[in-house]
Amino acid sequence: MDEVEVVVAHSERATLRVGDVFLKVDADQARVDVEVEAMSLAPVPTPKVLWRKPPVLAITALPGTKLGRLGGPSTGSSAAWAAAGAAIRKLHDAPLPPRTGRAGRSIEELTKELDDECELLVTNGLLPADLVTRNRRVAEAALRPWTPAFTHGDLQIAHVFVDGDEVTGVIDWSEAGQGDALYDLATFTLGHEEHLDDVLTGYGTDIDLDVIHAWWSLRSLLAVRWLTEHGFDPFAPGCEVDVLRSRM
């Protein structure tokens, strides 16, 4: 009998693996709707939907291994990172999905969320004021007009699977939709700045690096408190707080 592996679990959702099947349990059915729709539209390999019975979605496992994880070493070669960059470009060039995704929040919405979060980080003593102030300044470059693209919205490296130098699939599409392409690229390279050039080689177009750096700061500032409250450790080596420190 296959063992049940808890892949991720917190108060909002949980993912279990049983053999070659992933069972995703999500209290918010809108997120599941987005995920199923995005996987059907994305021009890159995705898991196959086996069945859906709210609040559970069953999908197939992907071949290969995760490209890496935040706070850990990358398991992929430079060529694998470049292949991932090419896949991301293919996604961004695809016809726009009907919904706005996580990467599509407005400048006004992001600015308010960021300012509120920075105040809480300092008031609650989670981060020192100089670290927050410096990264809030860096983050400003991300708050600019952008052309909508088909974005994944949560493109962590752990969500990209490779076999050798080939991308075999991308998982976790619940934040997908129209959004800022550089948000995806920054999320993908967060904590792995050494592979940014490889990704951009595969992506194949000039990118404003100041905006990538800004998204690193912005995403990390918005994540620290949520991660802490949901049982994760943004202070672990190589994770969000180290990303913020690298901007000092």
Side-chain angles (χ1 to χ4, degrees):
M1 180 178 178
D2 291 315
E3 293 184 350
V4 176
E5 174 192 356
V6 179
V7 179
V8 64
H10 50 76
S11 60
E12 294 180 1
R13 67 189 92 171
T15 301
L16 310 176
R17 179 171 184 167
V18 185
D20 290 332
V21 176
F22 283 94
L23 301 176
K24 304 190 72 173
V25 185
D26 198 320
D28 185 348
Q29 286 306 293
R31 281 196 294 255
V32 180
D33 292 341
V34 170
E35 178 152 18
V36 171
E37 178 182 62
M39 289 193 294
S40 72
L41 297 173
V44 298
T46 64
K48 179 182 178 182
V49 176
L50 297 174
W51 51 265
R52 180 181 178 189
K53 187 175 181 180
V56 182
L57 172 68
I59 58 176
T60 58
L62 290 172
T65 58
K66 295 177 182 178
L67 184 56
R69 63 179 178 84
L70 183 61
S74 164
T75 57
S77 64
S78 292
W81 281 84
I88 297 169
R89 179 61 183 272
K90 188 175 182 180
L91 175 67
H92 290 167
D93 285 345
L96 294 175
R99 307 170 192 257
T100 298
R102 180 71 175 170
R105 287 166 290 171
S106 69
I107 295 173
E108 294 75 18
E109 181 183 355
L110 272 172
T111 300
K112 184 180 187 312
E113 183 180 357
L114 181 60
D115 288 342
D116 290 347
E117 196 62 33
C118 287
E119 182 178 353
L120 286 170
L121 288 170
V122 175
T123 301
N124 295 344
L126 279 173
L127 293 177
D130 61 339
L131 183 64
V132 172
T133 299
R134 168 57 182 163
N135 278 276
R136 174 62 183 85
R137 191 176 305 123
V138 172
E140 189 68 28
L143 304 173
R144 87 280 177 230
W146 40 267
T147 301
F150 189 155
T151 54
H152 180 280
D154 191 20
L155 198 61
Q156 305 172 43
I157 58 171
H159 292 163
V160 177
F161 284 68
V162 296
D163 185 2
D165 298 335
E166 179 184 355
V167 174
T168 58
V170 182
I171 63 172
D172 284 2
W173 292 83
S174 62
E175 306 288 354
Q178 297 183 30
D180 180 1
L182 297 197
Y183 179 92
D184 270 356
L185 288 171
T187 301
F188 186 64
T189 54
L190 185 75
H192 286 278
E193 187 170 354
E194 72 278 8
H195 286 295
L196 179 58
D197 286 344
D198 297 327
V199 173
L200 296 184
T201 295
Y203 195 75
T205 188
D206 290 335
I207 293 297
D208 188 335
L209 295 181
D210 286 342
V211 176
I212 296 291
H213 298 160
W215 274 121
W216 286 342
S217 290
L218 199 159
R219 180 179 169 91
S220 296
L221 286 169
L222 294 183
V224 168
R225 189 169 58 91
W226 187 94
L227 291 168
T228 301
E229 292 175 353
H230 287 79
F232 301 100
D233 186 7
F235 292 86
C239 292
E240 285 81 3
V241 175
D242 273 356
V243 171
L244 295 172
R245 288 170 178 155
S246 72
R247 297 298 107 198
M248 296 297 284

